[in-house]
Amino acid sequence: MRYILRKLGFYVVAAWIAVTLNFALPRLIPGDPVQLIMSRQSQLGPVPPGEEEVLRRMLGLGHGNILGQYWDYLVSIVQLKFGLSVTYFPTPVTTILRSSVLWTLVLVGMATVISVLIGISLGTLAGWKRGTWLDSLVPSTTFLAAVPYFWVALLLIYLFTQVWTVFPDQFSYDPGLTIGWSGEFVSSAVRHAILPAITIVLSSVGGWMLGMRNMMVSTLSEDYVSAAEAKGLRSRTVMLGYAARNAVLPSVAGFAISLGFVISGSLVMEMVFSYQGIGFQLLQAVSNNDYPLMQAIFLVITFAVLSANFLVDVLYGFIDPRTRLAR
């Protein structure tokens, strides 16, 4: 319990620092979203007096000096009220977050889990059977990991939408469909997600495979693995129960960090495919000086990463009891 409380206290402080930075950084970007909206309204007619203050309150930007704005910002976080989006004015930020986070979780989350499972499985076999043809596949997979996401995405778009018209190249579903659980909408969403998912898997599986393979080679030289082999245990038992069980520990921490960043999506990938995930919305918010949407997205990303790391720290303490004894 003391171990969990100590970790929780650390992450609470980290969350407060991140929240404060989340408040300060968008305000360092040149431009004023309120003036942007007022300039648009002035093209339609005269702007009523006091409109600027009303817009600041509606957008959740606070009022008064910087300390007053910071207090309003903390209160809005507790109440889960992030104001209205400048980019999609007058749509509430929470409405945009609900839809975009769901798209990102389904696509990037599933693709990340698939790439981790494939990479760790192949890395375990490659490390166990080092020197074989399977081990020789590692350099080719790491080459894919070194290629930027957008190059892989553009190549897949060219091959499967131009050379062979197999998959759609834009958006997360056909624009004419209504979002729901109908068979037509689900099939459209799946077809639109295939190419982005393949992009993520191809670009990330090599890193997981290489890391697991190297840890397996290192673990196989340990005394407890040699002792297990000397006992005459089956190869499968030694590989999974002794070698892979300890070699996978660094991958557990890496997987948690990856899950935390899942919520931010793959920004470049979502740009290339015009996929309406949270990474795409972040780009729109930065382009339009949309402080409320930017702050809400950064806040979601921050708490997702901190929560994932906290859970892994707790889990790691049970997997490897030695970490609980660290001072």
Side-chain angles (χ1 to χ4, degrees), residues 63-113:
H63 63 283
N65 57 25
I66 193 69
L67 292 179
Q69 294 180 26
Y70 181 64
W71 175 254
D72 292 341
Y73 168 71
L74 295 178
V75 172
S76 67
I77 291 177
V78 175
Q79 297 176 346
L80 297 179
K81 295 180 180 179
F82 303 107
L84 304 180
S85 169
V86 176
T87 308
Y88 303 98
F89 187 82
T91 305
V93 170
T94 51
T95 302
I96 300 172
L97 285 179
R98 278 197 298 266
S99 59
S100 57
V101 167
L102 180 60
W103 286 111
T104 297
L105 282 176
V106 173
L107 171 63
V108 186
M110 292 298 297
T112 300
V113 172

Side-chain angles (χ1 to χ4, degrees), residues 88-246:
Y88 303 98
F89 187 82
T91 305
V93 170
T94 51
T95 302
I96 300 172
L97 285 179
R98 278 197 298 266
S99 59
S100 57
V101 167
L102 180 60
W103 286 111
T104 297
L105 282 176
V106 173
L107 171 63
V108 186
M110 292 298 297
T112 300
V113 172
I114 291 173
S115 63
V116 170
L117 292 177
I118 294 176
I120 289 179
S121 300
L122 293 179
T124 299
L125 293 175
W128 180 255
K129 299 181 179 181
R130 55 194 181 279
T132 63
W133 66 270
L134 182 61
D135 194 19
S136 63
L137 291 178
V138 175
S140 61
T141 58
T142 53
F143 170 77
L144 288 175
V147 177
Y149 270 32
F150 65 91
W151 279 108
V152 179
L154 292 174
L155 178 61
L156 292 177
I157 289 176
Y158 174 73
L159 290 177
F160 294 101
T161 66
Q162 303 298 322
V163 179
W164 305 295
T165 309
V166 180
F167 301 111
D169 60 345
Q170 292 188 61
F171 307 119
S172 51
Y173 60 94
D174 292 331
L177 297 178
T178 302
I179 298 179
W181 292 105
S182 63
E184 185 180 10
F185 174 79
V186 172
S187 62
S188 174
V190 170
R191 289 180 60 249
H192 281 77
I194 289 177
L195 283 185
I198 293 176
T199 300
I200 296 173
V201 171
L202 289 179
S203 299
S204 58
V205 70
W208 294 107
M209 183 176 178
L210 177 63
M212 187 62 186
R213 183 263 179 197
N214 291 339
M215 286 303 303
M216 278 291 293
V217 172
S218 177
T219 304
L220 289 175
S221 62
E222 297 291 339
D223 293 337
Y224 57 84
V225 176
S226 301
E229 292 175 335
K231 291 179 181 179
L233 298 178
R234 294 185 303 172
S235 297
R236 179 185 178 88
T237 302
V238 176
M239 180 180 67
L240 298 179
Y242 288 83
R245 180 180 179 181
N246 291 277

